[in-house]
Amino acid sequence: MDRVETQGPHPAALPFLADDPAACAIADGRRTLTYSQLGGETLQMAAGLAARGIVRHRVVAAVLPEGGELASIMFACWQLGAALCPLDPELDPAEAGRRVAGLSPALVVVGDARVAIDTGAVPQIHVERLVAVGGQPPRTELRFDDVALHAWPARALRHAELAALVRHAATPEVAPNAPGSSVLQPTDFAVSVCRALIAGGTAVVGGSPGRLSARAGPNR
């Protein structure tokens, strides 16, 4: 891997670095999360992942719509050094099962119990059951060389690359309120969320179908 500058915070730390923990971090049209709530949900999801054997270098597939839960599970994976691969929840269940088989993840997290996805021998859990209320994940060193995201079918993005993209997106030359891409583009989803949080702003996910935008300015 080519050397990438790693100035600035590790992306996994962003929910915990706000000047105002009571400020709104995530809004998805269904609920809002303050930075404190996002950090708490992240740690509880990380504890739930760890209890199911998720450790550094493992991959978690998430068949979830855009929303606060997808952001929380993304940060939860990163807390453990694991990578997230979001899959389109609108996929035909058979196609979703084929992609899971190709990814060989350690766990599949789903958000709609009515959709029967054949994950074979890979364990599957509903996102609401993943949260370990009051749980704390094992302390894990945050490393910039860990893989943060897997984008179907074969693109892997490391935290060093993600941090560089977030820094670039936060520069004044980049319009702060431009809409991001859909969850079908995991890199853009992660950059948009991290870009808002690194500025102490609100990541607005969902809203219109398949779209994400970030209010990158600080909350007031």
Coordinates of all heavy atoms in Angstrom, one line a residue, residues 164-178 195 198-199 216-217:
A164 N -8.1 10.9 4.4 CA -7.7 11.8 3.4 C -8.8 12.4 2.6 O -8.9 13.6 2.3 CB -6.6 11.2 2.5
L165 N -9.8 11.5 2.2 CA -10.9 11.9 1.5 C -11.8 12.9 2.3 O -12.3 13.8 1.8 CB -11.8 10.7 1.1 CG -11.2 9.8 0.0 CD1 -12.0 8.5 -0.2 CD2 -11.1 10.5 -1.3
V166 N -11.9 12.6 3.6 CA -12.7 13.4 4.5 C -12.1 14.8 4.6 O -12.8 15.8 4.6 CB -12.9 12.8 5.9 CG1 -13.5 13.8 6.9 CG2 -13.7 11.5 5.8
R167 N -10.8 14.8 4.8 CA -10.1 16.1 4.8 C -10.3 16.9 3.6 O -10.5 18.1 3.6 CB -8.6 15.9 5.1 CG -8.2 15.5 6.5 CD -6.8 15.7 6.8 NE -5.9 15.1 5.8 CZ -5.5 13.8 5.8 NH1 -5.9 13.0 6.8 NH2 -4.7 13.4 4.9
H168 N -10.2 16.3 2.4 CA -10.4 17.0 1.2 C -11.8 17.5 1.1 O -12.0 18.6 0.6 CB -10.1 16.0 0.0 CG -10.5 16.6 -1.3 ND1 -9.8 17.6 -1.9 CD2 -11.6 16.3 -2.2 CE1 -10.4 18.0 -3.1 NE2 -11.5 17.2 -3.2
A169 N -12.8 16.7 1.5 CA -14.2 17.1 1.4 C -14.5 18.3 2.3 O -15.5 19.0 2.1 CB -15.1 15.9 1.7
A170 N -13.7 18.4 3.4 CA -13.9 19.5 4.3 C -13.3 20.8 4.0 O -13.4 21.8 4.7 CB -13.5 19.0 5.7
T171 N -12.5 20.9 2.9 CA -11.8 22.1 2.5 C -12.8 23.1 2.0 O -13.9 22.8 1.5 CB -10.8 21.8 1.4 OG1 -11.5 21.3 0.2 CG2 -9.7 20.8 1.8
P172 N -12.5 24.4 2.1 CA -13.4 25.5 1.7 C -13.8 25.4 0.2 O -14.9 25.9 -0.1 CB -12.6 26.8 2.0 CG -11.6 26.4 3.0 CD -11.3 25.0 2.7
E173 N -13.0 24.8 -0.6 CA -13.3 24.7 -2.0 C -14.5 23.8 -2.3 O -15.0 23.8 -3.4 CB -12.1 24.3 -2.8 CG -10.9 25.3 -2.8 CD -10.1 25.3 -1.5 OE1 -10.3 24.3 -0.8 OE2 -9.4 26.2 -1.3
V174 N -14.8 22.9 -1.4 CA -15.9 21.9 -1.6 C -17.1 22.5 -1.0 O -17.2 22.8 0.2 CB -15.5 20.6 -0.9 CG1 -16.6 19.6 -1.1 CG2 -14.2 20.0 -1.5
A175 N -18.2 22.6 -1.7 CA -19.5 23.1 -1.2 C -19.9 22.3 0.0 O -20.1 21.1 -0.1 CB -20.5 23.1 -2.4
P176 N -20.2 23.0 1.1 CA -20.5 22.2 2.3 C -21.9 21.6 2.3 O -22.1 20.6 3.1 CB -20.4 23.3 3.4 CG -20.7 24.6 2.7 CD -20.1 24.4 1.4
N177 N -22.8 22.0 1.5 CA -24.1 21.4 1.5 C -24.5 20.6 0.3 O -25.7 20.4 0.1 CB -25.2 22.6 1.7 CG -25.0 23.3 3.1 OD1 -24.9 22.6 4.1 ND2 -24.9 24.6 3.1
A178 N -23.5 20.3 -0.5 CA -23.8 19.4 -1.6 C -24.3 18.1 -1.2 O -23.7 17.5 -0.3 CB -22.5 19.3 -2.5
R195 N -17.5 13.8 7.2 CA -17.3 15.2 6.9 C -18.1 16.1 7.8 O -17.6 17.1 8.3 CB -17.6 15.4 5.5 CG -17.6 16.9 5.0 CD -18.3 17.0 3.7 NE -18.4 18.3 3.2 CZ -19.2 18.7 2.3 NH1 -20.0 17.9 1.7 NH2 -19.2 20.0 1.9
I198 N -16.7 15.7 11.6 CA -15.4 16.3 11.9 C -15.6 17.8 12.0 O -14.8 18.5 12.7 CB -14.4 16.0 10.8 CG1 -13.0 16.1 11.3 CG2 -14.6 16.8 9.5 CD1 -11.9 15.6 10.4
A199 N -16.7 18.4 11.4 CA -16.9 19.8 11.5 C -17.9 20.1 12.7 O -18.2 21.3 12.9 CB -17.5 20.3 10.2
A216 N -22.3 20.5 7.0 CA -21.0 20.4 7.6 C -20.6 21.5 8.6 O -19.6 21.4 9.3 CB -19.9 20.4 6.4
G217 N -21.4 22.5 8.6 CA -21.1 23.6 9.6 C -21.4 23.2 11.0 O -22.2 22.2 11.2

